[in-house]
């Protein structure tokens, strides 16, 4: 303290020295900054380093004096600062002294306190509180023992969890695992329990993985109990929605894996080696390696496998619907809003998944379909393909209401290519059949119907002829079950393809064209007794005009008329058709199978069917209906189907393709057919090939009848926009088939009777007689003999082929019309005629009619009025004659002119003659 006071005194003396503050501040400012840098600064070293190499004493002394002045200024400034703080220092020194005193007192207090604490420890803590601590420790150890026993139980649950997983008791395992986790969270402060909790979490994740695997198994083989366990387990986990997402992923994967494995199996089987390169291929490339022989089996197995997947999805939806209905029906089971939202999510997810899954199925099958060129398949094989795809599309429609646009487009593309080649080949085959056809009768059973043919079995309209509608049960038809309902308990809708090939072939041919004698007797021995007529004839009697089995029963009167009208009654009324007709009917059946299975190409198929019919009709007309002869009658026959024939020639025949037609257009046409050289149509003893003409024409009519029978079915298949084509085909073509009878049989009628000879005989008759004759002229007898000869030849032909009533009617009608018109032509050649001559004409004609009615059942006699009116016109007056000319334009100009000229002089004068001839000329002028 004294040292400090001495220092302060020195500083006070130094401070008292007189100084100039400004000069002092300048000296301090002149001090270099380095002196204020740090405490470790070595000033001596610094100043020595600053000395110049050459030392000057005077300069050194000046510099030293400068340093001294700086030091003095600094020392004075420090002294000033210290002296300014002196009061504070003194005061603080006093506080330090006081603090020292207090510290000494505190040391004494602490010493006393420690002594007293030592006494308390020895007297209280070690004696009383020690007992309490031991009791507390005992309680802790008891709790620990209980915890250890719980831990031991938790550690043993792993074994039970494994057993429950092996038993597929997923819900029990999850419930046990969750309880263990809850218990483990209570003891998580133990190190062993923290490890156990982690292990339980791993076990729970393992259960979820096994649940996912179990869920994926339901995609192919759905099991109610299995799926119920899985869903209950996911519900315990609170992951029902996640399960739905996973389920749809598994279904998508199942579809891919299923189709790939099926196709891969067939590809490797056909490859015949152990090369595994196919496994690395994409599905699209793999499908291109399917061989033709394995195409259909692979397609069938593919659809079978996909059916299993879709059936599983259907059953999954059914399970959820029933499960939710049970929950809603249970009292007090409304559930929380969260569960309601979950059910709504699952329902929407399942409904949306229907479309997604079916779309995946369509795309996989589409790739398979387009991977192989099927244009060269056999017809039966291609029909199987169409049938399988049709069944698959039916599955799709029942599965999710889809129209299967993807499948329709792909199979349509394949079908169009196949059908073009197929139809072109069939047209060529039809031409070959027609050119080699000898038009002989193909013997079929009396009750033959196209529904009996194998090709028409698909229509489902074929019933046994021995079962009448009255004997069939009148029970209402059962409601048709969907495919999913039919095959719910097992089986597969695509296994039917095997059954179709095992069906027995139909038996439609009769033995040598005849039925048994017993059947013939039952048909014809007594028409008045229904008991003698077999049920087949009561209900399924084959109409002789159509060859088809009508739905309604045939009356006894109809049977009698058929007995009287038909030639050769010892033959049953079996349809008249040829081998070509039968083959064409079968071909039409095949075409209909195609469009029935694949409706998108229905129009193309029906158009091709119409071409087949058109070509058949054109061939029959060309072979038997062309009129290359000049008839003696001035009224040449113009068939009503001539426009149709021209249209067929224009669009169907290769000869009319034109020079500018493209190769594709020419390829779609067919050459005109030629009649076989074995068919002779010029022999008079066979009535100019009448048997062949009957077989050809009636087979065409029979074919048209079958088309009429098929019209309702075709109409249901035909697209609405294309139905006018079908209606036009039936109204302008099919209905015209029976009209071909007229031109074809007209040629026979024109040659069967010698009309030229009759005209010559009539020219030799004298008609300007003065007496009324009681005996008819010879030409009438000659004409009647011609008809008798014609009737006899008709009977001879009927021994070869049955001549139906419409045919005999047409033949007789043509012959009688030609005869009557020849009579009018002969009467029109008369130069002179009296009233008695006209009476003789009437006598001749009445004699002709009387004898003719005995030869034919045709009533009324055709053109009877045509002859009688012309004969009676001779008696008309001038005015009546003029009106007659205007009203009867069916007579030729020559016939009317002759009528006027013959009447001249009797009751018509020259002036009237000129007037009547002018009227005739006016009638004829528009024709010119």
């Amino acid at each position: 303290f004294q040292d400090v006071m001495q220092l302060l005194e020195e500083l006070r003396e130094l401070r008292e020295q007189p100084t100039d503050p400004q000069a002092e501040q300048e000296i301090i400012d002149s001090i270099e900054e380095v002196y204020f840098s740090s405490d470790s600064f070595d000033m001596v070293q610094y100043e020595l380093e600053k000395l110049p190499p050459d030392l000057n004493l005077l300069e050194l002394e000046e510099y030293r004096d400068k340093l001294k002045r700086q030091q003095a200024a600094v020392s004075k400034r420090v002294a000033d600062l210290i002296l300014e703080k002196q009061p504070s220092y003194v005061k603080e020194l006093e506080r330090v002294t006081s603090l020292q005193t207090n510290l000494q007192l505190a040391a004494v207090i602490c010493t006393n306190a420690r002594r007293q604490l030592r006494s308390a420890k020895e007297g209280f803590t070690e004696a009383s509180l020690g007992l309490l601590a031991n009791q507390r420790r005992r309680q802790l150890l008891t709790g620990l023992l209980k915890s250890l026993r719980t831990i031991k139980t938790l550690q043993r649950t792993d074994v039970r969890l494994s057993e429950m997983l092996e038993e597929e008791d997923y819900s029990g395992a999850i419930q046990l695992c969750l309880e263990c986790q809850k218990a483990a969270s209570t003891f998580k402060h133990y190190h062993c329990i923290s490890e156990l909790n982690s292990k339980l979490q791993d076990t729970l994740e393992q259960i979820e993985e096994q649940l996912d695997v179990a869920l994926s198994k339901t995609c192919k083989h759905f099991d109610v109990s299995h799926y119920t366990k899985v869903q209950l387990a996911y519900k315990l986990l609170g992951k029902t929605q996640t399960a739905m997402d996973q389920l749809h992923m598994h279904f998508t994967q199942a579809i891919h894996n299923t189709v790939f494995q099926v196709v891969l199996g067939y590809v490797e089987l056909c490859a015949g080696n152990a090369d595994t390169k196919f496994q690395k291929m994409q599905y699209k490339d793999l499908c291109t390696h399917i061989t033709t022989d394995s195409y259909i089996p692979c397609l069938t197995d593919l659809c079978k496998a996909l059916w299993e997947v879709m059936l599983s999805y259907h059953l999954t939806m059914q399970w959820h619907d029933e499960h939710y209905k049970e929950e809603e029906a249970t009292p007090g089971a409304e559930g929380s809003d969260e569960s309601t939202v979950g059910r709504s999510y699952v329902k929407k997810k399942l409904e949306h998944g229907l479309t997604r899954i079916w779309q995946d199925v369509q795309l996989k099958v589409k790739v398979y379909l387009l991977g192989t060129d099927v244009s060269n398949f056999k017809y039966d094989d291609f029909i199987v393909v169409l049938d399988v795809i049709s069944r698959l599309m039916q599955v799709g429609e029942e599965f999710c209401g889809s129209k299967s646009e993807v499948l329709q487009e792909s199979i349509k593309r394949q079908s169009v290519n196949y059908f073009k080649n197929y139809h072109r080949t069939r047209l060529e085959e039809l031409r070959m059949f027609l050119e080699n056809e000898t038009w002989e009768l193909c013997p079929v059973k009396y009750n033959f119907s196209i529904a009996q043919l194998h090709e028409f079995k698909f229509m489902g309209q074929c019933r046994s002829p021995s079962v009448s509608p009255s004997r069939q049960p009148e029970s209402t038809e059962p409601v048709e079950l969907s495919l999913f309902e039919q095959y719910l308990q097992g089986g597969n809708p695509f296994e039917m393809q095997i059954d179709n090939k095992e069906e027995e072939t139909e038996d439609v041919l009769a033995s040598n064209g005849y039925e048994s004698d017993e059947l013939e007797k039952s048909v014809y021995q007594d028409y008045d007794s229904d008991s003698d007529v077999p049920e087949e004839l009561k209900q399924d009697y084959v109409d002789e005009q159509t060859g088809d089995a009508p739905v309604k029963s045939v009356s006894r009167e109809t049977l009698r008329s058929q007995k009287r009208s038909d030639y050769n009654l010892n033959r049953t009324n079996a349809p008249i058709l040829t081998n070509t007709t039968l083959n064409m009917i079968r071909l039409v059946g095949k075409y209909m199978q195609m469009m029935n299975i694949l409706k998108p190409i229905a129009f193309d198929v029906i158009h091709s069917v119409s071409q087949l019919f058109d070509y058949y009709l054109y061939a029959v007309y060309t072979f038997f209906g062309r009129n290359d002869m000049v008839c003696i009658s001035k009224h040449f026959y113009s068939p009503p189907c001539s426009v149709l024939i021209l249209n067929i020639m224009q669009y169907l025949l290769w000869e009319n393709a034109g020079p500018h037609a493209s190769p594709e257009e020419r390829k779609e046409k067919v050459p005109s057919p030629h009649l076989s050289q074995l068919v002779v149509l010029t022999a008079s003893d066979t009535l100019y090939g009448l048997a062949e003409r009957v077989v050809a024409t009636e087979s065409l009519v029979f074919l048209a009848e079958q088309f009429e029978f098929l019209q309702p079915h075709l109409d249901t298949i035909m697209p609405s926009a294309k139905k006018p084509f079908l209606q036009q085909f039936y109204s302008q073509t099919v209905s015209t088939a029976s009209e071909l009878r007229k031109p074809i049989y007209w040629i026979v009628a024109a040659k069967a009777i010698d009309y030229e000879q009759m005209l010559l005989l009539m020219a030799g008759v004298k008609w300007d007689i003065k007496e009324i004759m009681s005996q008819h002229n010879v030409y009438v007898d000659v004409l009647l003999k011609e008809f008798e000869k014609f009737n006899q030849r008709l009977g001879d032909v009927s021994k070869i082929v049955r001549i139906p009533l419409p045919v005999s009617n047409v033949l007789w009608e043509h012959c009688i019309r030609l005869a009557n018109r020849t009579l009018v032509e002969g009467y029109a050649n008369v130069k002179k005629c009296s009233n008695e001559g006209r009476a003789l004409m009437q006598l001749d004609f009445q004699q002709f009619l009387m004898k003719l009615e005995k030869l034919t059942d045709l009533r009324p006699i055709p053109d009877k009025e045509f002859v009688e009116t012309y004969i009676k016109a001779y008696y008309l007056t001038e005015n009546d004659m003029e009106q007659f000319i205007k009203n009867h334009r069916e007579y030729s100009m020559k016939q009317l002119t002759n009528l006027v000229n013959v009447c001249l002089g009797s009751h018509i004068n020259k002036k009237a003659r000129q007037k009547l001839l002018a009227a005739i000329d006016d009638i004829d002028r528009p024709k010119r």
Side-chain angles (χ1 to χ4, degrees):
F1 180 74
Q2 292 177 356
D3 292 339
V4 173
M5 295 303 296
Q6 186 179 357
L7 178 61
L8 291 173
E9 188 63 28
E10 290 177 359
L11 291 174
R12 186 179 294 111
E13 292 176 0
L14 182 62
R15 184 181 181 190
E16 291 176 354
Q17 293 179 3
T19 56
D20 185 2
Q22 184 176 1
E24 183 181 350
Q25 183 65 36
E26 291 179 354
I27 292 172
I28 292 173
D29 292 340
S30 66
I31 299 173
E32 295 182 18
E33 290 292 334
V34 70
Y35 284 95
F36 301 99
S37 60
S38 63
D39 296 337
S40 61
F41 176 65
D42 190 354
M43 294 179 289
V44 177
Q45 182 67 26
Y46 176 71
E47 291 298 335
L48 289 175
E49 290 177 353
K50 286 177 60 178
L51 292 176
D54 299 327
L55 299 176
N56 189 334
L57 182 60
L58 182 60
E59 293 177 353
L60 288 174
E61 288 179 350
E62 290 178 355
Y63 186 68
R64 184 190 63 181
D65 294 339
K66 178 183 177 181
L67 291 175
K68 284 182 177 182
R69 287 192 298 274
Q70 291 176 347
Q71 182 180 13
V74 170
S75 298
K76 186 177 183 301
R77 176 66 59 85
V78 171
D80 292 340
L81 292 173
I82 291 172
L83 290 175
E84 288 177 0
K85 302 293 184 180
Q86 182 181 1
S88 299
Y89 172 76
V90 173
K91 184 177 180 180
E92 187 66 28
L93 189 60
E94 292 175 353
R95 290 177 62 191
V96 169
T97 304
S98 175
L99 179 61
Q100 185 177 5
T101 303
N102 291 334
L103 288 175
Q104 290 174 353
L105 179 61
V108 173
I109 293 171
C110 286
T111 302
N112 294 333
R114 286 177 179 175
R115 184 174 59 252
Q116 292 174 358
L117 284 173
R118 188 180 299 111
S119 299
K121 178 181 178 182
E122 294 174 353
F124 176 75
T125 304
E126 292 181 354
S128 301
L129 294 181
L131 294 175
L132 294 176
N134 290 335
Q135 179 64 25
R136 181 174 178 272
R137 189 178 297 112
R138 179 182 178 184
Q139 290 178 347
L140 290 175
L141 290 175
T142 303
L144 178 62
L145 181 61
K146 183 178 180 181
S147 299
L148 289 175
R149 289 173 179 170
T150 304
I151 292 171
K152 183 178 181 181
T153 303
L154 289 175
Q155 289 179 336
R156 290 179 178 177
T157 56
D158 283 346
V159 179
R160 180 57 186 156
L161 283 173
S162 300
E163 292 176 353
M164 296 176 80
L165 288 178
E166 290 179 359
E167 296 170 358
E168 295 186 352
D169 185 7
Y170 303 109
S171 57
I174 292 173
Q175 195 166 3
L176 178 60
C177 192
L178 291 176
E179 290 176 356
C180 290
Q181 280 188 323
K182 185 178 179 180
S185 64
T186 307
F187 306 99
K188 61 183 178 181
H189 50 281
Y190 297 109
H191 180 69
C192 62
I193 290 298
S194 63
E195 293 180 357
L196 177 63
N197 199 16
S198 176
K199 188 175 182 181
L200 286 173
Q201 185 62 34
D202 293 341
T203 303
L204 192 61
E205 292 177 359
Q206 181 184 357
I207 293 174
E208 288 189 34
E209 292 177 1
Q210 291 194 21
L211 261 182
D212 193 53
V213 174
L215 186 65
S216 66
K217 292 179 180 179
T218 65
C219 295
K220 290 186 178 180
H221 303 288
F222 184 86
D223 181 77
V224 175
S225 60
H226 177 78
Y227 189 74
T228 304
K229 291 179 182 178
V230 173
Q231 283 297 321
L232 182 59
Y234 273 111
K235 186 176 182 180
L236 287 174
L237 290 174
K239 295 185 177 181
T240 304
Q241 296 183 11
T242 305
M244 279 297 103
D245 298 337
Q246 289 295 113
L247 181 65
H248 284 81
M249 290 178 58
H250 287 313
F251 269 104
T252 302
Q253 190 65 29
I255 291 172
H256 175 75
N257 293 341
T258 297
V259 296
F260 187 85
Q261 291 301 324
V262 171
V263 176
L264 177 64
Y266 276 92
V267 170
E268 290 182 340
L269 181 65
C270 297
N273 54 41
D275 193 356
T276 58
K277 65 178 181 179
F278 297 115
Q279 296 180 354
K280 300 178 181 179
M281 284 187 176
Q282 294 291 329
Y283 173 71
K284 182 177 181 180
D285 299 328
L286 193 65
C287 290
T288 60
H289 289 78
I290 290 290
T291 61
T292 303
D293 295 336
S294 61
Y295 185 83
I296 292 177
C298 182
L299 176 63
T300 305
D301 287 347
L302 200 66
C303 292
K304 287 180 181 179
L306 290 172
W307 160 260
E308 296 294 339
V309 175
M310 288 185 286
L311 179 62
S312 296
Y313 194 87
H314 176 79
L315 293 173
T316 302
M317 291 193 66
Q318 193 175 43
W319 184 92
H320 282 277
D321 290 340
E322 295 175 354
H323 184 67
Y324 292 153
K325 287 179 181 178
E326 290 178 0
E327 287 185 352
E328 293 174 358
T330 303
E334 293 295 329
S336 62
D337 294 338
E338 184 178 354
S339 63
T340 304
V341 173
R343 286 199 296 267
S344 177
Y345 176 84
V346 170
K347 183 178 181 180
K348 290 181 179 179
K349 188 76 175 178
L350 287 170
E351 291 175 352
H352 180 66
L354 284 171
T355 306
R356 284 185 54 192
I357 288 175
W358 177 242
Q359 192 69 11
D360 289 343
V361 170
Q362 284 192 92
L363 292 175
K364 296 299 182 184
V365 178
K366 174 188 176 182
V367 171
Y368 181 83
L369 285 174
L370 300 181
T372 304
D373 182 14
V374 299
S375 59
N376 296 320
F377 272 32
K378 295 179 180 179
Y379 171 80
D380 291 337
D381 292 339
F382 188 70
I383 284 296
V384 171
V385 174
L386 292 184
D387 195 30
V388 171
I389 299 303
S390 175
R391 183 58 58 91
L392 185 61
M393 288 191 288
Q394 182 184 353
V395 170
E397 186 170 359
E398 295 179 2
F399 184 67
C400 61
S402 171
K403 296 302 180 183
S404 307
E405 290 82 1
V406 175
L407 280 179
Q408 287 189 19
E409 181 60 31
S410 56
I411 196 64
K412 180 180 180 181
R413 192 191 311 177
Q414 290 283 41
S415 299
V416 169
N417 294 334
Y418 177 84
F419 189 73
K420 282 183 178 180
N421 295 332
Y422 184 79
H423 178 60
R424 191 179 299 119
T425 306
R426 299 294 81 77
L427 270 177
E428 287 294 332
E429 288 183 358
L430 179 58
R431 180 176 70 90
M432 180 189 69
F433 271 108
L434 290 169
E435 291 185 345
N436 290 278
E437 179 63 64
T438 57
W439 303 102
E440 294 179 354
L441 191 65
C442 176
V444 293
K445 292 185 176 182
Y446 77 96
N447 60 351
F448 169 74
S449 171
I450 62 172
Q452 300 168 3
L453 296 176
H454 175 73
E455 287 78 6
F456 292 91
K457 294 291 184 182
F458 72 96
M459 294 176 61
Q461 297 177 355
C462 179
R463 61 181 177 86
S464 175
S466 61
V467 179
S468 63
S470 60
R471 295 184 181 180
Q472 293 178 350
E474 298 181 357
S475 59
T476 58
E477 294 184 1
V479 179
E480 185 177 355
L481 297 176
S482 68
L483 293 177
F484 288 96
E485 293 171 336
Q486 293 179 36
Y487 299 97
L488 189 62
Q489 303 300 328
N492 198 297
F494 298 97
E495 293 175 352
M496 295 179 63
Q497 303 306 319
I498 302 174
D499 300 334
N500 287 341
K501 293 185 178 180
E502 295 177 355
E503 291 182 358
E504 296 181 358
T505 57
E506 72 281 352
D507 181 18
V508 297
L509 297 179
S511 302
N512 298 324
Y514 295 90
E515 296 294 336
S516 65
D517 295 337
E518 294 298 326
L519 182 58
E520 289 179 11
K521 292 178 182 179
S522 65
V523 174
Y524 294 108
Q525 64 183 357
D526 187 2
Y527 288 93
D528 293 330
S529 175
D530 283 344
S531 61
D532 294 335
V533 181
E535 290 295 328
E536 292 88 346
L537 294 180
K538 290 180 182 178
Q539 304 298 337
D540 290 335
Y541 192 90
V542 179
D543 184 51
E544 63 185 353
Q545 299 184 34
T546 65
D548 195 9
V551 177
K552 298 181 179 179
S553 61
V554 183
S555 65
R556 292 193 294 269
E557 288 75 10
T558 305
L559 294 176
R560 288 197 194 95
S561 63
Q562 289 169 344
K563 179 181 178 182
R564 289 197 307 269
S565 304
D566 281 354
Y567 290 83
N568 194 20
L569 290 180
N570 61 350
R571 186 184 297 270
T572 57
N573 290 337
I576 297 176
L577 66 160
T578 65
N579 286 324
T580 302
T581 316
L582 195 58
N583 286 327
M584 181 170 169
I585 291 174
R586 292 182 183 276
L587 186 57
V588 171
K590 292 179 179 180
Y591 277 39
M592 289 185 65
Q593 284 182 19
M594 285 190 190
M595 59 184 162
N596 187 67
I597 296 173
L598 192 66
K599 293 179 176 60
I601 66 166
F603 172 72
D604 299 319
V605 179
I606 291 178
H607 183 265
S608 300
V609 169
S610 69
Q611 288 184 346
L612 293 174
F613 186 84
D614 287 344
Y615 194 68
Y616 192 96
L617 183 145
Y618 175 78
V620 172
Y621 175 79
T622 304
F623 294 167
F624 303 103
R626 282 185 175 175
N627 180 25
D628 297 328
M629 59 172 286
V630 178
C631 179
I632 191 171
S633 172
K634 297 297 182 181
H635 296 271
F636 296 100
Y637 187 81
S638 178
C641 54
S642 56
V643 176
L644 173 63
I645 299 299
L646 291 175
N647 291 337
I648 295 174
M649 293 173 61
Q650 190 67 32
Y651 90 93
L652 188 58
L653 297 186
W654 182 80
E655 291 85 345
N656 296 285
H660 302 292
S662 64
E664 188 65 27
E665 291 175 345
R666 290 180 177 272
K667 193 181 294 185
E668 293 179 357
K669 295 180 181 292
V670 63
S672 179
H674 300 284
L675 182 63
S676 172
Q677 295 180 354
L678 300 176
V679 180
V680 180
L681 303 178
T682 57
S684 60
D685 55 340
T686 62
L687 273 180
Y688 307 95
L690 178 60
E692 289 82 358
R693 294 177 191 272
V694 169
V695 172
T697 310
E698 299 313 302
S699 66
L700 175 63
V701 173
F702 175 78
L703 191 61
E705 298 284 351
Q706 307 317 304
F707 270 77
E708 294 286 355
F709 171 71
L710 297 173
Q711 184 179 8
H713 187 77
L714 295 176
D715 191 65
T716 57
I717 300 176
M718 194 70 158
S720 300
K722 300 294 185 180
K723 284 189 177 181
F725 168 81
L726 185 65
Q727 295 170 357
Q728 182 181 7
F729 168 65
Y730 271 91
S731 61
Q732 297 183 7
T733 305
V734 177
S735 61
T736 311
S738 59
E739 294 294 326
L740 254 66
R741 285 170 170 162
K742 295 181 179 179
I744 292 175
Y745 297 135
W746 182 82
I747 296 175
V748 175
K751 294 180 178 182
I753 307 295
D754 192 352
Y755 305 102
E756 187 73 25
Q757 179 187 10
M758 187 171 63
L759 279 178
L760 294 176
L761 292 174
M762 292 179 70
V765 177
K766 186 177 181 181
W767 301 101
D768 54 346
I769 57 177
K770 302 299 182 181
E771 298 178 358
I772 296 179
M773 304 296 292
S774 60
Q775 182 64 33
H776 60 273
N777 286 301
V778 177
Y779 74 88
V780 176
D781 296 328
V782 174
L783 181 58
L784 289 171
K785 286 183 180 179
E786 287 287 322
F787 273 99
E788 290 175 357
K789 184 179 179 181
F790 168 73
N791 191 33
Q792 181 181 357
R793 289 180 178 176
L794 209 57
D796 294 339
V797 173
S798 68
K799 296 176 182 178
I800 302 173
V801 60
R802 178 176 60 86
I803 300 180
L805 176 62
V807 176
S808 62
N809 285 345
V810 169
L811 283 168
W812 278 101
E813 180 183 355
H814 281 325
C815 289
I816 294 172
R817 285 188 186 278
L818 285 171
N820 285 337
R821 291 180 180 271
T822 304
L823 287 174
V824 173
E825 189 69 18
Y827 297 150
N829 290 334
V830 176
K831 302 300 182 183
K832 294 180 181 181
C833 182
S834 61
N835 290 337
E836 291 77 10
R838 287 294 172 181
L840 181 58
M841 290 180 184
Q842 289 181 338
L843 176 63
D844 291 345
F845 186 61
Q846 292 301 322
Q847 179 68 19
F848 170 68
L849 291 179
M850 182 181 65
K851 297 290 186 181
L852 185 63
E853 288 177 350
K854 296 179 180 179
L855 294 176
T856 178
D857 292 332
L858 187 63
R859 301 291 185 276
I861 299 298
D863 281 351
K864 174 182 176 183
E865 293 79 6
F866 182 78
V867 181
E868 291 178 343
T869 302
Y870 187 80
I871 296 174
K872 294 176 182 178
Y874 175 80
Y875 303 105
L876 297 176
T877 61
E878 176 185 341
N879 294 333
D880 293 337
M881 181 70 75
E882 184 177 1
Q883 191 65 34
F884 176 85
I885 291 172
K886 292 179 180 180
N887 293 339
H888 293 274
R889 299 190 179 187
E890 66 270 19
Y891 298 105
S892 66
M893 184 178 180
K894 173 195 170 184
Q895 292 168 350
L896 293 174
T897 302
N898 177 266
L899 186 63
V900 173
N901 289 333
V902 171
C903 293
L904 180 64
S906 61
H907 52 279
I908 294 179
N909 54 34
K910 290 184 178 180
K911 184 178 180 181
R913 173 178 176 272
Q914 293 300 326
K915 182 181 178 181
L916 293 173
L917 291 178
I920 295 172
D921 191 58
D922 290 340
I923 293 174
D924 189 61
R925 188 174 293 116
K927 299 180 183 179
R928 301 173 185 172

